[in-house]
Amino acid sequence: MNLAGLLTCLVDGCGPSGEATALADVGRLAAVDAGALVEAPAPLHPIVVAEITRMRTGGAPVIVVTATGREAEDAAAVLPELVPGARAAVFPSWETLPHERLSPSLDTVGRRVAVLRRLAHPDPSDPLGEPIDVLFTSVRAFLQPVVRDMADVVPVRLAEGDDVVLEEVVEALVLSGYERVDLVERRGQVAVRGGILDVFPPTEEHPLRVEFWGDTVEEIRSFSVADQRSLEIAEQGLWAPAVRELLLTPEVRARAATLAREQPHLIDMCDKLAHGIAVEGMESLAPVLTDGMVAPLELIDGRAHIVLLEPERIRRRAHDIVRTAEEFLMASWHNATVGNDTPIDLASASYRDLSDVRAVAEQRGDSWWRVTSLASDVELDETVSTAIRIAGRELDSYRGDSARAVEDLRTWVAAGDRVVLLAEGHGSVQRLVEELADAGVAVTSVEDLPSPPQAGVVTVTRGRLLHGFALPDAALTVLTETDIVGQRSSTRDMRRLPSRRRRTIDPLSLSPGDYVVHEQHGVGRYVDMVQRTVGGAEREYLVLEYAASK
């Protein structure tokens, strides 16, 4: 899908005067690596990000920070449509807190490590390791430090015709955190049968089967987990990033052995690590087992554009996660070391304050953007050097009232406006065109929109923008299928179900008796949410009921 014409119209203006809009000021600042406070309706925020991306210079990456991971994924889906060719990626957050004795999933870690590698060591010659133009991340992931050397871990890379020793490849995968099993069923697993190597990288929809002839890679195919049957050829070969953020290198194992002697209460965990055995929650010890932790931003070589979408929400969210992590650190670790003379210091793994990360950005020379839908008093905000106001408005949701939507579309067309109606699927596009034509509204459909839309007609095309807006300066109105029906289309929800992504459940949406699936324990029944005090810190827990073992 190509909506480049939409961005062109919004920036250059499609009105009779032919004057550029305030979005052009965003582009001019991006071109000189400057930042600003941008006031714009929420539906226009992806447009602001797209213009910064389009006008940036020198290949500087754009880091878009949102309040939640869901918002990051939504924004990432839209960007390539507005700026065709832009390489977007999502940097997910852990499902656990930094100091919990629970490990994040191999799936999540693998995708994180793959992103860090591409940011720190982009390889334009490799489609799987190419540079990232725009990185979307939640504030939780943005503020969590990572092991300094994590981005330097080289992914296991195989292509047809390569001459390698199979045992050495397996050893490299195991060192990267992959679990050796008899049958590959989940991401982060590896299996060997004769001259066949099965690997499930976290960045792939399906596991890959590498067939060897002696020491030569003869073929690489994807295969089905359900029946283990080979599928299509993997044209780009195997690219397997590490799936743990604490790798059991000789140096880490030696430090674990030392820590076991110095901290007797950690002997069970550290003794296993010293022998190269991965244990649950070992990532919590990364500050004392590695050479240091840094903010993800610090791994980027050169300047970047940092864009905060709705900074007020981000600031509140950042405060909450920092406070929660600090409370858990005190309860989980400090209280566990009562009576010891030298409690271990794990503070460097804690979430950074947003102000601290901004200081890092300023030191690096990064531009800092804040894009907000709230009105700001620039004169009272000392952190604002430049402010841009985009005079658009968010369209009201019709909540299924299609008759009112058709009437508004008719009015806009009669006024000679340029009107774009976006739907996500081909079927929805055809249905909307038929309904508008039957209602006597001038309508046309296009596969893509590489140039500005026509005036005086509704142009229906595919696109993933969630909500519509009107920008009078551009003489343009954009409406989405979601605005009309009042809910997100099912195809968007289906896209969130690939096996590499787990659906996270909002606990507040659960009712007693609902069934849920726990990653380790399987299907259970939700009973209640309770508060428990553990080590002096009070937290909320879900009570799940499981059937008795037979």
Side-chain angles (χ1 to χ4, degrees):
M1 292 177 278
N2 183 342
L3 299 179
L6 196 62
L7 180 60
T8 300
C9 188
L10 287 166
V11 174
D12 297 338
C14 294
S17 64
E19 294 182 359
T21 70
L23 275 163
D25 295 332
V26 172
R28 281 192 285 269
L29 287 175
V32 295
D33 293 330
L37 171 67
V38 181
E39 293 180 13
L44 277 165
H45 291 181
I47 309 298
V48 175
V49 172
E51 181 60 6
I52 295 172
T53 302
R54 187 171 70 117
M55 297 301 294
R56 68 200 170 97
T57 58
V62 179
I63 313 299
V64 181
V65 184
T66 61
T68 67
R70 178 70 177 262
E71 292 169 356
E73 292 187 352
D74 287 339
V78 174
L79 190 279
E81 299 176 0
L82 296 169
V83 188
R87 295 159 296 195
V90 176
F91 185 61
S93 63
W94 283 9
E95 308 89 349
T96 60
L97 292 173
H99 309 295
E100 281 188 290
R101 298 196 192 187
L102 292 173
S103 294
S105 71
L106 304 186
D107 179 3
T108 297
V109 170
R111 288 187 286 132
R112 284 167 55 89
V113 173
V115 166
L116 294 175
R117 178 69 187 181
R118 291 174 61 190
L119 284 175
H121 303 285
D123 185 356
S125 64
D126 189 343
L128 297 175
E130 63 185 0
I132 295 174
D133 297 318
V134 189
L135 180 65
F136 295 85
T137 182
S138 67
V139 64
R140 178 171 177 168
F142 185 63
L143 298 181
Q144 182 180 352
V146 297
V147 175
R148 183 185 303 276
D149 299 331
M150 202 64 243
D152 297 331
V153 178
V154 180
V156 175
R157 187 73 167 99
L158 293 178
E160 185 177 327
D162 286 351
D163 288 323
V164 294
V165 178
L166 176 57
E167 291 76 11
E168 293 180 356
V169 175
V170 175
E171 182 180 351
L173 287 168
V174 172
L175 183 59
S176 295
Y178 286 77
E179 176 189 8
R180 186 163 183 175
V181 295
D182 294 329
L183 192 68
V184 167
E185 296 178 318
R186 297 181 301 174
R187 288 180 175 81
Q189 292 183 336
V190 56
V192 179
R193 297 188 311 280
I196 297 177
L197 172 69
D198 288 347
V199 188
F200 204 161
T203 52
E204 297 288 343
E205 290 290 348
H206 299 284
L208 298 179
R209 177 162 293 153
V210 185
E211 297 187 14
F212 284 80
W213 180 260
D215 289 338
T216 301
V217 176
E218 187 175 50
E219 186 178 77
I220 303 178
R221 284 181 174 271
S222 59
F223 68 91
S224 169
V225 169
D227 55 19
Q228 298 290 304
R229 291 185 179 181
S230 295
L231 301 175
E232 64 274 4
I233 291 287
E235 299 290 347
Q236 297 177 336
L238 170 69
W239 195 81
V243 292
R244 286 195 179 274
E245 293 187 37
L246 177 63
L247 301 182
L248 298 180
T249 62
E251 294 80 9
V252 168
R253 293 170 61 178
R255 292 181 183 183
T258 301
L259 189 61
R261 294 192 295 270
E262 296 175 350
Q263 303 291 337
H265 64 284
L266 295 176
I267 191 169
D268 289 342
M269 178 183 289
C270 290
D271 188 56
K272 291 179 180 178
L273 297 180
H275 287 85
I277 302 173
V279 297
E280 186 72 15
M282 67 183 194
E283 292 81 5
S284 59
L285 295 177
V288 293
L289 297 181
T290 66
D291 291 328
M293 313 284 287
V294 296
L297 181 62
E298 297 179 75
L299 297 178
I300 300 175
D301 185 19
R303 294 182 177 181
H305 293 274
I306 314 299
V307 183
L308 273 61
L309 299 185
E310 299 293 9
E312 296 78 12
R313 292 183 59 230
I314 288 174
R315 190 177 298 110
R316 290 196 299 270
R317 178 65 175 155
H319 177 268
D320 289 344
I321 62 176
V322 169
R323 182 186 61 186
T324 300
E326 288 177 349
E327 291 175 352
F328 193 87
L329 174 62
M330 293 294 294
S332 179
W333 289 104
H334 289 187
N335 288 347
T337 58
V338 170
N340 291 313
D341 295 330
T342 56
I344 55 176
D345 183 8
L346 301 176
S348 61
S350 298
Y351 296 108
R352 302 283 182 86
D353 287 328
L354 187 60
S355 59
D356 293 338
V357 177
R358 178 163 188 176
V360 170
E362 292 175 348
Q363 185 177 10
R364 285 170 34 87
D366 299 327
S367 61
W368 192 268
W369 298 80
R370 290 184 289 168
V371 184
T372 177
S373 57
L374 302 178
S376 302
D377 192 333
V378 177
E379 294 181 357
L380 297 179
D381 192 340
E382 298 179 354
T383 64
V384 176
S385 58
T386 305
I388 300 173
R389 289 184 172 88
I390 299 175
R393 64 181 178 87
E394 181 175 356
L395 298 182
D396 295 332
S397 174
Y398 293 91
R399 301 183 183 279
D401 189 352
S402 56
R404 183 164 65 93
V406 169
E407 192 57 37
D408 284 346
L409 288 167
R410 192 196 316 277
T411 301
W412 297 329
V413 168
D417 291 347
R418 299 174 192 266
V419 183
V420 176
L421 178 55
L422 298 176
E424 191 163 339
H426 286 292
S428 296
V429 169
Q430 295 174 358
R431 178 178 56 80
L432 291 170
V433 169
E434 291 173 0
E435 291 181 359
L436 291 176
D438 291 343
V441 179
V443 62
T444 184
S445 66
V446 295
E447 182 65 26
D448 290 305
L449 197 62
S451 57
Q454 301 178 44
V457 63
V458 177
T459 300
V460 185
T461 189
R462 297 173 64 206
R464 294 176 182 169
L465 281 171
L466 286 180
H467 299 293
F469 56 85
L471 189 61
D473 291 349
L476 177 69
T477 300
V478 176
L479 190 66
T480 72
E481 184 183 14
T482 303
D483 294 323
I484 297 176
V485 302
Q487 61 183 7
R488 308 176 75 165
S489 63
S490 59
T491 54
R492 176 179 295 273
D493 293 330
M494 289 173 62
R495 194 175 57 250
R496 299 186 181 280
L497 300 181
S499 56
R500 77 160 180 258
R501 296 185 184 179
R502 296 170 304 154
R503 296 184 66 186
T504 56
I505 302 299
D506 180 1
L508 298 180
S509 68
L510 293 174
S511 299
D514 287 350
Y515 288 98
V516 296
V517 180
H518 190 279
E519 183 180 8
Q520 278 84 33
H521 305 299
V523 178
R525 182 184 290 110
Y526 171 70
V527 178
D528 195 7
M529 181 184 291
V530 299
Q531 290 186 333
R532 293 283 188 271
T533 300
V534 179
E538 188 176 81
R539 300 188 70 193
E540 293 183 327
Y541 295 87
L542 300 183
V543 178
L544 304 180
E545 180 182 50
Y546 292 91
S549 300
K550 294 182 180 180

